[in-house]
Amino acid sequence: MRIYMVNDHIRHSYLLGIKRMRETSTAKNIYELTLNDLKESGMDQLMIAKMLVCVGADGASVMQGQRNGICVRLQL
C-alpha cells in the first residue's frame, strides 16, 4: 500500500508495505487489511477520516462499487 501525505504544502509518498491476502479478495477483507495497515503506521480512525482525500483504484467493483466497495466503506 502506498499513501501520500501533505506536510508544509509538500506531498510525501510512503510505501506502507505489501501484504498477501490470506482470505478471498472481497471488499470487506481488503478494507480491513487497509485499515490495519494504516493503524499500524500510527494513524487512528479519526486521523484517517480527516486526512484521507483520495483513493487510487483500478476500477474494479470491489474497489469502487457504489454500495459495498472499499471507497464507500472508507467514506462511512
Side-chain angles (χ1 to χ4, degrees), residues 9-45:
H9 304 288
I10 299 171
R11 183 180 73 167
H12 301 276
S13 172
Y14 300 96
L15 179 64
L16 293 183
I18 299 172
K19 302 276 176 130
R20 180 180 301 258
M21 293 293 302
R22 297 184 192 276
E23 300 176 25
T24 58
S25 298
T26 63
K28 179 184 177 202
N29 291 339
I30 296 172
Y31 170 75
E32 289 174 359
L33 185 65
T34 301
L35 273 186
N36 287 337
D37 280 352
L38 291 171
K39 287 177 182 177
E40 286 175 9
S41 73
M43 299 177 85
D44 61 15
Q45 282 197 264

